[in-house]
C-alpha cells in the first residue's frame, strides 16, 4: 500500500426525514435496546446506544447528534411537511445546506416512495421521493438511502429498482450498491456514488465493513452491484 494518504469524505450530511406520529400510530421510536448477542460487534457503539435507550422519554435524534456517534457533521432535523408546496421548500432548504458536502444519508421511516402512497397524503412524509434522491446526485453528492424492503425476494426487487431508477435522467445508468442487514426486519441501504472518485472511496468503506465484525458475523452483506438500465 502506497504512503499516499487517501482522501476521506470531509463533509457528510444526515437528513433524518422526521415524520410526525400519525393518529393511528403509537410513538415508540427507539423502543429496542441493542441485543446482548450483538453488543460485541462494536462494544463502544452498543454501550452508547443503550445509554440513549435508557433515557426513555428523552430519546431523540438530538440525543444521537449530541452523542457524536455518527460520522455526519451536518443534520437536517426539521419535520417533513405533508403539504406538497411546503415539502418542496423543505427539500430545497436541505439541499442548500450541503454546498460543501460529499455524501448525504437519507433516513426516512419507510424508505423509497411506493405507488400506494401519493404526494401530499398522510403517509407521504415517511418516504423519500425519487426526484429528491436525484436532486442530491445532480448536485454532485453521493447518496445513501435507508429502505425497508417489502416482502419480495431481493433478486426481483433489484430488477424493479433498476427499472425504476432508469426512468430518471440523472439516476439512469448510475451504479448502485445495496448493503443488506438481514437480522430481524430486513433493511437495505441503497448507495449511489455521484462520481468515479466517490465510487472508489465507497467501495473501500463497504469492504472495510464486510471485513470487520459486522460482515464476518453475517450481520450485513453486500448485494450484487447493479445499474439503471439506460447507459
Amino acid at each position: 500500500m502506497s504512503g499516499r494518504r487517501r482522501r476521506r469524505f470531509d463533509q457528510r450530511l444526515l437528513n433524518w426525514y422526521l415524520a410526525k406520529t400519525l393518529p393511528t400510530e403509537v410513538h415508540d421510536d427507539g423502543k429496542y435496546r441493542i441485543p446482548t448477542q450483538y453488543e460485541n460487534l462494536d462494544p463502544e457503539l452498543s454501550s452508547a446506544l443503550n445509554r440513549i435507550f435508557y433515557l426513555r422519554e428523552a430519546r431523540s435524534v438530538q440525543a444521537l447528534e449530541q452523542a457524536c456517534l455518527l460520522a455526519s457533521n451536518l443534520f437536517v432535523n426539521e419535520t417533513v411537511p405533508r403539504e406538497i408546496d411546503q415539502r418542496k421548500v423543505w427539500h430545497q432548504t436541505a439541499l442548500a445546506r450541503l454546498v460543501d458536502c460529499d455524501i448525504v444519508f437519507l433516513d426516512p421511516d419507510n424508505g423509497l416512495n411506493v405507488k400506494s402512497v401519493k404526494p401530499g397524503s398522510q403517509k407521504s412524509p415517511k418516504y423519500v421521493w425519487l426526484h429528491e434522491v436525484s436532486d442530491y446526485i445532480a448536485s454532485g453528492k453521493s447518496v445513501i438511502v435507508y429502505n425497508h424492503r417489502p416482502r419480495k425476494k431481493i433478486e426481483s426487487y433489484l430488477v424493479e429498482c433498476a427499472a425504476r431508477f432508469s426512468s430518471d435522467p440523472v439516476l439512469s445508468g448510475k451504479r448502485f450498491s445495496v448493503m443488506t442487514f438481514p437480522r430481524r426486519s430486513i433493511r437495505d441501504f441503497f448507495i449511489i456514488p455521484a462520481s468515479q472518485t466517490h465510487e472508489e472511496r465507497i467501495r473501500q468503506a463497504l469492504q472495510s465493513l464486510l471485513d470487520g465484525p459486522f460482515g464476518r458475523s453475517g450481520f450485513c452483506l453486500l448485494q450484487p452491484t447493479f445499474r439503471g438500465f439506460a447507459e
Side-chain angles (χ1 to χ4, degrees), residues 64-115:
L64 288 171
E65 293 173 10
Q66 293 166 7
C68 299
L69 299 175
L70 305 172
S72 301
N73 43 24
L74 293 171
F75 300 93
V76 175
N77 46 31
E78 291 82 11
T79 302
V80 183
R82 171 183 169 182
E83 297 78 6
I84 295 176
D85 289 344
Q86 291 183 26
R87 177 151 182 168
K88 289 179 180 178
V89 173
W90 173 88
H91 175 57
Q92 291 301 319
T93 300
L95 282 170
R97 292 188 189 176
L98 52 77
V99 175
D100 298 319
C101 284
D102 291 315
I103 191 165
V104 179
F105 176 44
L106 310 180
D107 187 31
D109 281 3
N110 294 347
L112 291 168
N113 67 295
V114 294
K115 291 181 180 179

Side-chain angles (χ1 to χ4, degrees), residues 30 32-34 42-55 59 64 67 69-70:
Y32 297 112
R33 74 182 303 280
I34 302 299
D42 190 326
E44 182 179 355
L45 177 61
S46 296
S47 177
L49 289 175
N50 283 331
R51 284 197 298 272
I52 294 174
F53 167 81
Y54 286 116
L55 292 175
R59 289 192 299 244
L64 288 171
L69 299 175
L70 305 172

Side-chain angles (χ1 to χ4, degrees), residues 52-204:
I52 294 174
F53 167 81
Y54 286 116
L55 292 175
R56 303 297 181 185
E57 289 77 10
R59 289 192 299 244
S60 65
V61 296
Q62 287 77 20
L64 288 171
E65 293 173 10
Q66 293 166 7
C68 299
L69 299 175
L70 305 172
S72 301
N73 43 24
L74 293 171
F75 300 93
V76 175
N77 46 31
E78 291 82 11
T79 302
V80 183
R82 171 183 169 182
E83 297 78 6
I84 295 176
D85 289 344
Q86 291 183 26
R87 177 151 182 168
K88 289 179 180 178
V89 173
W90 173 88
H91 175 57
Q92 291 301 319
T93 300
L95 282 170
R97 292 188 189 176
L98 52 77
V99 175
D100 298 319
C101 284
D102 291 315
I103 191 165
V104 179
F105 176 44
L106 310 180
D107 187 31
D109 281 3
N110 294 347
L112 291 168
N113 67 295
V114 294
K115 291 181 180 179
S116 60
V117 176
K118 304 301 181 185
S121 64
Q122 191 176 50
K123 292 185 178 180
S124 61
K126 294 178 175 291
Y127 294 87
V128 171
W129 300 94
L130 197 63
H131 71 84
E132 294 172 345
V133 177
S134 178
D135 286 346
Y136 284 112
I137 295 292
S139 66
K141 318 307 175 187
S142 294
V143 176
I144 303 172
V145 184
Y146 166 80
N147 188 64
H148 195 93
R149 193 196 314 165
R151 294 181 179 179
K152 296 180 179 180
K153 291 184 177 180
I154 184 65
E155 295 82 7
S156 59
Y157 185 62
L158 291 185
V159 169
E160 290 179 12
C161 290
R164 183 179 181 188
F165 296 145
S166 70
S167 67
D168 184 279
V170 174
L171 299 177
S172 176
K174 286 290 184 184
R175 187 186 298 273
F176 289 76
S177 295
V178 183
M179 183 68 78
T180 295
F181 288 75
R183 305 292 174 87
R184 299 178 180 269
S185 60
I186 299 177
R187 294 147 295 147
D188 296 316
F189 292 82
F190 287 89
I191 305 153
I192 312 113
S195 66
Q196 289 186 344
T197 301
H198 282 196
E199 185 174 337
E200 174 58 21
R201 295 182 213 153
I202 289 171
R203 186 195 65 77
Q204 293 174 13

